[in-house]
């Protein structure tokens, strides 16, 4: 596979082709080559675009656009089969007029929102994009491209009142436009599902309906846009974790693992085995905490709050585990470059806490299965609703539980193991139908898988302590250099809702990241709503939306 | 009927005061039971076991500003919340509440008791539809349309089920239906009672049929624009309707205030509370249905079953009771 991809890329005019972990990394000389190359790559099996990430090198007067193309291979047959991805780079002129490149959205629809985001924040124009518009950023940033290095946030904040007026004007204009185009005759109307809707969270879906039937959906995002990618550039390498962990409060430790590993790679450091297993335990605890909320809110979307309350009850125990270790329940900041933040002076006491949480889940589980998972009304609502096929998974890069519910064998923990996962036994957990109900079942299965992983990691740590290889009160952190060399790294982790990819760029003697691109799964899942919802009724919006486990925190960043 | 007793009926029992107390009770009861099933505590601080919380809540709502939206029809918008509780409270005069009043008969003891009950309960949804219509809000309007669709379909099985005791005993007088009922007739009427309770969930917009005010979909349905006093009045009407419909169920199917050892209002109250408990338990364990699924369920299962139930009642009347 790797050789084949290299051969295809080698036919074009490239500066270099090299191997990088599971990626084939190449830099194109001509931006015109991009489209034909991507067409060929798609034929060869690299069908999904993970993200499009521009980097602004202001000193060299260029913008480098990175394309992360992934070979998801959802029908992977044997464990040995490698999934080789492609990482392409193209240089563009920094000048706004010439900062243009062909859009790959017509070939790979999964690039759609990522290209819009790159356009809105960096001003890279994508020729041939089906609907190139400003996205994610609010009206006052239109045409200013806030992630470029020469954008001054402080200067921008000075005109606060005008900025707010610009945002409200946009709504009024839109309202008047709808009055004109749709009017009051007939059964067609626009409903705003969000941002202050009981079930939506801070996102707005413009739902064009005919009576109860949905005709078109336009997501409007950016209500919790905190510019995290830009924020980390103003912090040092340790301080950046507090920005990274705030991607979404529900699964807190995992994004920090991703970021820390990217930093460690540039620094050229290897962390201790003890820290690796600690990362597994913390990461899986975070995953369970997140899944418990996802499960509960799945029923919440259908007006049943009991399950959510029961899940929150169990979740408290898993948050206790995080609190015991780090002192915080939600924003733990417990993983940092170099290992994990705190030593573990009394491992057995902490393991007992984990045991308590696991026992609580196992006690509640039979009741949950009987009352909720087999509920006939839920089955009636969710079965065979909103089905995703394997083609959809590849086409739109659905990730994590949503992909696995369709039977796709995708899991970064196995495909490209990080932290301590390489030494643990695990297999793909999948469901078959890919409907909304399976997206609930897969989550329950994954909680059990996570518990299994936690138990294995605890065993490994116990063994290590027994043999004297691990010292829990010393091994947690290795010394990291204060300044990092120039370099870049890409890391992927399996987050609770799917794959997170972080692309970190540093410059020489760096004390803070030069650029950190965070790719999150909810972007693709929200993109999918446009194709999924039309034809369904209004009642299906919350159900299907909830079944994708979308979190606005990681959607907007 | 003297003026004194008339005023007593209107303002104390089974009129205003009783209905208010019932509203406080059922509000508190539903919250506390639901909290128990949710593994929460529920109302806790005001009064013993939080029992005064709902009283405070209702008086707080009354002090809030009652907003009329600019785009709404002000007359329609404000008059419906006054009419609705009155219509909802009217059926109380048809129901025999206690042996102490009027020799145990209803205040308005008529040969057409079942019919009157069915008509007065049936008028209510159209008023609620008008609240949605008068609000001139997309969500309210959709809620109003949904309530209309739901009522038109749910009323058919509801009325057919309510007719079954009348058919069995050959009278529409609620007092006589109640007096004639025995353990055997209650057993014969059980299928009818089950259909009645299912259809009742639809009429009262309780889960799994809380489609008209599905907050995850259309915010709060026809309630969306209401606040303050108007909202309180609408909620009062809703709780009154719950009382009326479940008291009607008890009188029609389960022997009203008649009980073991002695006849009393408290037997009726206990039976009504049990029905309220069933409503809360269903609410705590079942998600909401979709509108089209509800329609399909109603017309292809519930209504045919209600008709079959009438056949069974006639069979039972002829061969089991030997009429």
């Amino acid at each position: 596979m790797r050789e084949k991809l290299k051969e295809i890329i080698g036919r074009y005019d490239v500066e270099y082709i090299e191997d990088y972990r599971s990626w084939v990394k190449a830099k194109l000389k001509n931006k015109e080559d991009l489209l034909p190359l991507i067409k060929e790559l798609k034929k060869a099996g690299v069908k999904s675009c993970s993200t499009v990430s521009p980097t602004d090198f202001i000193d060299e007067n260029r913008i480098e656009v990175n394309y992360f193309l992934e070979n998801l291979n959802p029908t992977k047959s044997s464990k040995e089969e490698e999934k080789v991805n492609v990482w392409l780079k193209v240089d563009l002129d920094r000048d706004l007029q010439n900062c243009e490149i062909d859009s790959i959205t017509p070939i790979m629809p999964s690039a759609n929102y990522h290209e819009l985001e790159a356009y809105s924040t960096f001003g890279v124009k994508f020729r041939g994009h089906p609907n190139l518009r400003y996205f994610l950023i609010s009206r006052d940033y239109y045409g200013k491209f806030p992630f470029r290095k020469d954008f001054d946030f402080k200067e921008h904040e000075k005109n606060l009142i005008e900025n707010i007026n610009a945002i409200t004007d946009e709504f009024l204009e839109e309202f008047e436009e709808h009055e004109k185009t749709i009017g009051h005759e007939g059964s067609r109307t626009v409903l705003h599902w969000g941002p202050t809707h009981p079930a939506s969270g801070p996102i707005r879906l413009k739902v064009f309906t005919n009576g109860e039937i949905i005709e078109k959906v336009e997501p409007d995002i950016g209500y919790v846009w905190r510019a995290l990618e830009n924020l980390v550039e103003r912090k040092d390498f340790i301080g950046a974790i507090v920005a990274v962990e705030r991607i979404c409060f529900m699964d807190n430790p995992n994004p920090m693992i991703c970021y820390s590993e990217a930093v460690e790679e540039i620094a050229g450091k290897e962390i201790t085995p003890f820290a690796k297993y600690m990362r597994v335990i913390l990461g899986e605890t975070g995953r369970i905490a997140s899944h418990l909320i996802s499960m509960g809110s799945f029923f919440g979307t259908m007006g049943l709050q009991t399950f959510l309350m029961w899940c929150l009850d169990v979740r408290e125990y898993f948050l206790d585990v995080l609190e015991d270790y780090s002192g915080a329940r939600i924003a733990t900041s417990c993983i940092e470059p170099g290992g994990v933040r705190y030593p573990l002076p009394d491992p057995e006491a902490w393991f007992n806490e984990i045991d308590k949480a696991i026992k609580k889940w196992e006690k509640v589980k039979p009741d949950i299965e009987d009352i909720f998972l087999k509920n006939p009304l839920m089955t009636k609502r969710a079965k065979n609703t909103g089905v995703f096929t394997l083609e959809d998974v590849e086409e739109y890069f659905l990730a994590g539980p949503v992909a696995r519910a369709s039977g796709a064998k995708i899991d970064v923990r196995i495909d490209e193991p990080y932290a301590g996962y390489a030494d643990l036994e695990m297999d793909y957990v999948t469901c078959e139908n890919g409907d909304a109900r399976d997206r609930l079942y897969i989550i329950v299965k994954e909680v059990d898988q996570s518990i299994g992983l936690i138990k294995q990691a605890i065993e490994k740590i116990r063994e290590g302590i027994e043999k004297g290889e691990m010292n829990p009160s010393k091994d947690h952190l290795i010394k990291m250099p204060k300044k990092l060399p120039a370099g870049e790294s890409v890391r992927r982790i399996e987050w609770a809702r799917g794959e997170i990819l972080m692309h970190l760029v540093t410059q020489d003697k760096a004390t803070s990241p030069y650029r950190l691109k965070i790719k999150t799964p909810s972007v693709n899942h929200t993109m999918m709503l446009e194709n999924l919802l039309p034809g369904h009724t209004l009642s299906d919006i919350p159900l299907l939306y909830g079944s994708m486990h979308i979190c606005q925190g990681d959607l907007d960043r | 009927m003297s003026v004194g007793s008339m005023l007593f009926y209107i303002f104390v029992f089974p009129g205003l005061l009783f209905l208010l107390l019932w509203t406080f009770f059922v509000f508190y009861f539903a919250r506390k039971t639901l909290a128990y099933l949710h593994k929460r505590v529920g109302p806790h601080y005001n009064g013993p076991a939080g029992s005064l919380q709902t009283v405070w809540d209702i008086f707080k709502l009354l002090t809030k500003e009652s907003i009329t939206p600019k785009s709404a029809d002000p007359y329609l918008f404000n008059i419906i919340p006054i009419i609705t509780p009155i219509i909802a409270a009217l059926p109380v005069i048809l129901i025999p509440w206690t042996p102490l009043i009027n020799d145990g008969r209803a205040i308005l003891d008529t040969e057409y008791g079942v019919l009157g009950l069915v008509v007065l309960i049936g008028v209510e949804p159209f008023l609620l539809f008008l609240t949605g219509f008068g609000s001139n809000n997309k969500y309210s309007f959709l809620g109003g349309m949904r309530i209309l669709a739901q009522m038109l379909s749910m009323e058919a099985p509801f009325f057919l089920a309510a007719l079954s005791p009348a058919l069995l005993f050959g009278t529409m007088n609620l007092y006589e239906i109640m007096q004639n009922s025995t353990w055997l007739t209650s057993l014969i009427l059980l299928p009818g009672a089950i259909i009645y309770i299912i259809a009742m969930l639809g009429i009262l917009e309780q889960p799994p049929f809380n489609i008209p005010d599905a907050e995850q979909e259309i915010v709060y349905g026809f309630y969306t624009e209401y606040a303050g006093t108007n909202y309180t009045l609408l909620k009062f009407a809703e709780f009154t309707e719950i009382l009326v419909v479940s008291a009607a169920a008890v009188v029609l199917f389960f022997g009203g205030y008649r009980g073991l050892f002695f006849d009393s209002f408290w037997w009726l109250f206990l039976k009504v509370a049990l029905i309220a408990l069933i409503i809360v338990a269903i609410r705590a364990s079942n998600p909401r249905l979709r509108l089209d699924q509800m329609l399909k369920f109603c017309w292809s299962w519930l209504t045919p079953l209600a008709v079959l139930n009438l056949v069974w009642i006639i069979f039972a009347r002829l061969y089991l009771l030997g009429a």
Side-chain angles (χ1 to χ4, degrees):
Chain A
M1 185 73 191
R2 202 175 269 270
E3 294 312 311
K4 195 175 143 204
L5 289 175
K6 275 184 173 176
E7 192 261 326
I8 291 173
I9 300 169
R11 278 185 237 151
Y12 293 85
D13 203 2
V14 286
E15 256 174 53
Y16 57 80
I17 307 180
E18 51 189 55
D19 286 335
Y20 171 81
R21 295 164 58 81
S22 71
W23 304 80
V24 174
K25 180 176 168 186
K27 181 156 187 174
L28 289 177
K29 274 184 183 162
N30 305 323
K31 61 182 180 185
E32 280 72 29
D33 285 346
L34 182 74
L35 223 46
L37 171 57
I38 280 180
K39 264 179 202 158
E40 278 192 53
L41 286 175
K42 193 175 180 184
K43 266 181 214 151
V46 184
K47 289 181 187 162
S48 324
C49 174
S50 175
T51 190
V52 180
S53 151
T55 312
D56 183 11
F57 291 103
I58 189 163
D59 299 335
E60 299 163 39
N61 197 24
R62 69 189 169 99
I63 282 187
E64 187 183 72
V65 186
N66 298 276
Y67 288 87
F68 297 99
L69 311 173
E70 290 195 21
N71 172 16
L72 293 178
N73 194 6
T75 50
K76 181 174 158 177
S77 46
S78 66
K79 254 199 160 170
E80 285 71 41
E81 205 177 319
E82 201 193 6
K83 294 184 178 179
V84 187
N85 312 313
V86 178
W87 174 6
L88 292 179
K89 284 163 169 281
V90 189
D91 270 347
L92 296 181
D93 216 342
R94 211 179 158 276
D95 179 28
L96 274 177
Q97 246 73 41
N98 304 325
C99 192
E100 251 189 342
I101 193 167
D102 286 318
S103 166
I104 63 164
T105 307
I107 305 167
M108 291 182 178
S110 47
N112 187 345
Y113 280 13
H114 300 283
E115 284 189 345
L116 291 180
E117 202 184 311
Y119 170 59
S120 307
T121 50
F122 281 91
V124 181
K125 283 197 203 74
F126 291 93
R127 272 193 306 252
H129 189 282
N131 184 8
L132 192 64
R133 61 189 189 277
Y134 289 110
F135 196 65
L136 182 71
I137 55 174
S138 58
R139 177 67 167 267
D140 50 321
Y141 287 102
Y142 282 13
K144 292 180 183 170
F145 310 119
F147 283 2
R148 286 192 167 216
K149 288 282 173 187
D150 51 2
F151 180 81
D152 191 351
F153 271 98
K154 274 188 186 143
E155 195 61 38
H156 180 82
E157 299 269 301
K158 276 181 189 162
N159 309 321
L160 196 64
I161 301 296
E162 285 107 84
N163 294 344
I164 293 170
N165 284 342
I167 297 170
T168 43
D169 285 347
E170 188 186 13
F171 283 104
L172 293 174
E173 276 166 31
E174 197 187 287
F175 175 72
E176 270 164 27
E177 193 196 313
H178 288 323
E179 288 279 292
K180 264 185 228 152
T181 49
I182 297 167
H184 298 280
E185 305 292 319
S187 56
R188 285 191 168 74
T189 186
V190 192
L191 277 182
H192 295 282
W193 198 76
T196 53
H197 189 283
S200 69
I203 181 181
R204 182 166 66 127
L205 297 183
K206 279 184 257 177
V207 187
F208 295 76
T209 64
N210 182 2
E212 290 259 335
I213 309 291
I214 301 165
E215 289 185 330
K216 195 172 77 172
V217 173
E218 278 180 18
D220 173 21
I221 69 170
Y223 288 89
V224 283
W225 181 64
R226 294 149 290 170
L228 288 180
E229 292 172 12
N230 191 281
L231 207 57
V232 293
E233 292 170 14
R234 283 174 268 160
K235 293 181 180 291
D236 59 11
F237 284 108
I238 306 287
I241 59 168
V242 294
V244 168
E245 72 171 343
R246 274 161 179 74
I247 288 178
C248 180
F249 78 93
M250 288 195 255
D251 180 2
N252 169 266
N254 278 318
M256 290 188 281
I257 298 179
C258 189
Y259 168 76
S260 302
E261 297 221 336
V263 173
E264 283 149 16
E265 189 185 316
I266 291 179
K269 295 274 184 182
E270 177 83 10
I271 61 168
T272 59
F274 171 72
K276 279 183 181 173
Y277 292 123
M278 281 299 286
R279 282 184 179 179
V280 171
I281 297 176
L282 290 167
E284 295 303 323
T285 312
R287 188 187 315 280
I288 294 169
S290 164
H291 278 356
L292 285 169
I293 283 199
S294 296
M295 255 190 254
S297 51
F298 180 87
F299 275 89
T301 59
M302 293 185 287
L304 176 62
Q305 305 297 345
T306 315
F307 192 38
L308 179 61
M309 296 296 161
W310 289 25
C311 286
L312 289 179
D313 182 33
V314 181
R315 183 172 186 261
E316 289 301 304
Y317 286 78
F318 284 96
L319 293 184
D320 280 347
V321 173
L322 293 179
E323 190 189 4
D324 256 33
Y325 177 66
S326 70
R329 298 173 80 80
I330 303 289
T332 54
S333 308
C334 58
I335 294 163
E336 64 174 54
V340 285
R341 196 173 192 115
Y342 306 101
L344 197 61
D346 186 1
E348 285 307 320
W350 193 54
F351 295 159
N352 269 339
E353 198 70 25
I354 297 174
D355 212 38
K356 229 196 266 171
I358 293 173
K359 285 221 173 80
K360 174 77 183 171
W361 164 249
E362 274 160 5
K363 202 178 128 206
V364 177
K365 208 185 156 210
D367 282 350
I368 287 178
E369 274 176 355
D370 289 348
I371 301 172
F372 299 106
L373 301 185
K374 290 177 190 161
N375 189 307
L377 294 184
M378 186 278 283
T379 306
K380 198 154 175 58
R381 282 292 301 270
K383 205 183 174 194
N384 296 331
T385 314
V387 180
F388 292 137
T389 58
L390 284 181
E391 284 76 45
D392 288 334
V393 170
E394 280 195 298
E395 192 89 353
Y396 296 98
F397 196 172
L398 306 176
V402 178
R404 289 194 284 275
S406 303
K409 291 181 176 169
I410 303 171
D411 194 330
V412 184
R413 287 173 290 180
I414 301 170
D415 297 338
E416 191 181 346
Y418 57 95
Y421 288 106
D423 310 328
L424 304 180
E425 271 178 42
M426 65 182 294
D427 205 357
Y428 298 106
V429 180
T430 54
C431 284
E432 279 151 25
N433 302 324
D435 51 15
R437 189 178 65 154
D438 271 1
R439 293 200 278 280
L440 169 69
Y441 285 177
I442 190 83
I443 285 224
V444 182
K445 282 188 188 175
E446 279 189 23
V447 170
D448 289 337
Q449 186 196 28
S450 295
I451 286 174
L453 286 170
I454 290 176
K455 282 179 179 162
Q456 287 184 45
I458 289 178
E459 270 323 297
K460 294 266 182 195
I461 291 179
R462 276 191 185 134
E463 269 171 35
I465 294 172
E466 224 164 77
K467 284 181 195 160
E469 288 165 358
M470 291 180 193
N471 183 352
S473 42
K474 268 187 189 161
D475 279 357
H476 62 287
L477 208 57
I478 55 163
K479 206 168 160 48
M480 290 290 286
K482 281 248 160 54
K483 287 181 177 167
L484 260 56
E488 61 179 332
S489 60
V490 168
R491 281 293 173 148
R492 297 187 295 160
I493 55 124
E494 187 70 24
W495 194 45
R497 289 177 186 71
E499 176 192 309
I500 280 190
L501 178 145
M502 287 197 195
H503 173 218
L504 178 69
V505 184
T506 54
Q507 290 202 317
D508 207 19
K509 291 184 185 160
T511 51
S512 60
Y514 186 74
R515 159 89 171 131
L516 179 69
K517 168 70 191 176
I518 306 169
K519 184 259 158 178
T520 45
S522 291
V523 180
N524 291 53
H525 296 165
T526 310
M527 191 152 72
M528 199 58 201
L529 288 176
E530 283 182 36
N531 310 316
L532 181 67
L533 288 177
H536 287 93
T537 62
L538 276 180
S539 308
D540 285 326
I541 299 180
L543 172 64
L544 292 177
Y545 180 84
S547 79
M548 310 254 266
H549 316 300
I550 292 170
C551 164
Q552 286 79 24
D554 81 279
L555 172 62
D556 292 349
R557 279 155 284 133
Chain B
M1 202 188 296
S2 70
V3 179
S5 59
M6 202 143 75
L7 285 176
F8 178 78
Y9 294 152
I10 293 174
F11 288 108
V12 183
F13 185 89
L16 195 63
L17 189 67
F18 169 62
L19 292 176
L20 265 179
L21 283 176
W22 161 260
T23 307
F24 293 144
F25 164 75
V26 79
F27 208 166
Y28 171 73
F29 179 75
R31 282 166 87 171
K32 204 71 182 169
T33 323
L34 206 59
Y36 175 74
L37 294 171
H38 279 179
K39 302 186 181 175
R40 289 188 286 121
V41 178
H44 181 63
Y45 289 106
N46 297 319
S51 54
L52 288 176
Q53 181 66 45
T54 51
V55 183
W56 289 177
D57 278 349
I58 285 172
F59 281 102
K60 182 208 73 176
L61 271 175
L62 284 172
T63 62
K64 294 249 170 179
E65 186 189 359
S66 200
I67 302 162
T68 310
K70 218 199 298 182
S71 58
D73 180 345
Y75 300 107
L76 193 61
F77 185 83
N78 286 313
I79 202 150
I80 297 288
I82 299 170
I83 299 176
T84 317
I86 294 174
I87 300 284
L90 273 183
V92 295
I93 58 167
L94 296 168
I95 294 168
W97 290 102
T98 155
L100 300 177
I101 289 178
N102 219 358
D103 296 334
R105 289 170 180 271
I107 295 163
L108 185 64
D109 190 30
T110 153
E111 288 305 307
Y112 305 103
V114 177
L115 214 58
L117 227 121
V118 151
V119 168
L120 286 173
I121 292 170
V123 171
E124 189 79 4
F126 296 99
L127 294 172
L128 292 179
F129 161 71
L130 284 178
T131 62
F133 191 74
S135 298
N136 196 11
N137 168 310
K138 287 174 199 165
Y139 302 109
S140 303
F141 188 67
L142 272 169
M145 298 308 276
R146 283 179 174 200
I147 202 169
L148 220 51
Q150 178 158 327
M151 288 313 139
L152 286 177
S153 43
M154 273 301 177
E155 276 175 359
F158 181 75
F159 295 165
L160 287 174
L163 274 182
S164 52
L167 213 58
L168 187 69
F169 300 118
T171 171
M172 282 205 184
N173 188 320
L174 287 169
Y175 176 74
E176 279 166 26
I177 288 176
M178 192 179 74
Q179 286 300 337
N180 287 336
S181 70
T182 58
W183 287 101
L184 178 64
T185 59
S186 285
L187 212 60
I188 292 169
L189 286 170
L190 198 62
I194 291 170
I195 293 169
Y196 183 97
I197 287 174
I198 293 175
M200 180 179 96
L201 294 175
I203 299 267
L204 298 174
E205 298 122 42
Q206 290 297 321
F209 303 115
N210 57 344
I211 301 163
D213 53 6
E215 59 181 59
Q216 283 82 5
E217 294 152 25
I218 48 172
V219 190
Y220 207 174
F222 51 89
Y223 284 125
T224 305
E225 293 287 3
Y226 282 96
T229 317
N230 281 346
Y231 177 74
T232 320
L233 287 171
L234 283 174
K235 271 284 165 197
F236 176 63
E238 188 188 318
F239 286 120
T240 307
E241 215 191 343
I242 291 180
L243 172 70
V244 166
V245 178
S246 24
V250 170
V251 172
L252 286 170
F253 300 101
F254 304 117
Y257 59 69
R258 294 175 61 211
L260 295 174
F261 311 122
F262 58 92
D263 295 350
S264 159
F265 165 74
W266 295 108
W267 278 114
L268 188 138
F269 185 77
L270 185 72
K271 292 169 188 173
V272 171
L274 278 176
I275 290 183
L277 192 67
I278 292 174
I279 294 177
V280 174
I282 290 175
R283 177 179 179 168
S285 58
N286 284 295
R288 182 191 307 121
L289 275 174
R290 219 162 56 204
L291 186 63
D292 57 321
Q293 286 168 342
M294 185 275 298
L295 291 175
K296 195 163 177 237
F297 168 73
C298 182
W299 289 110
S300 56
W301 290 102
L302 209 56
T303 313
L305 279 176
V307 175
L308 272 181
N309 175 52
L310 288 186
V311 176
W312 151 248
I313 295 290
I314 291 168
F315 171 84
R317 183 176 156 88
L318 289 179
Y319 297 101
L320 294 182
L321 298 182

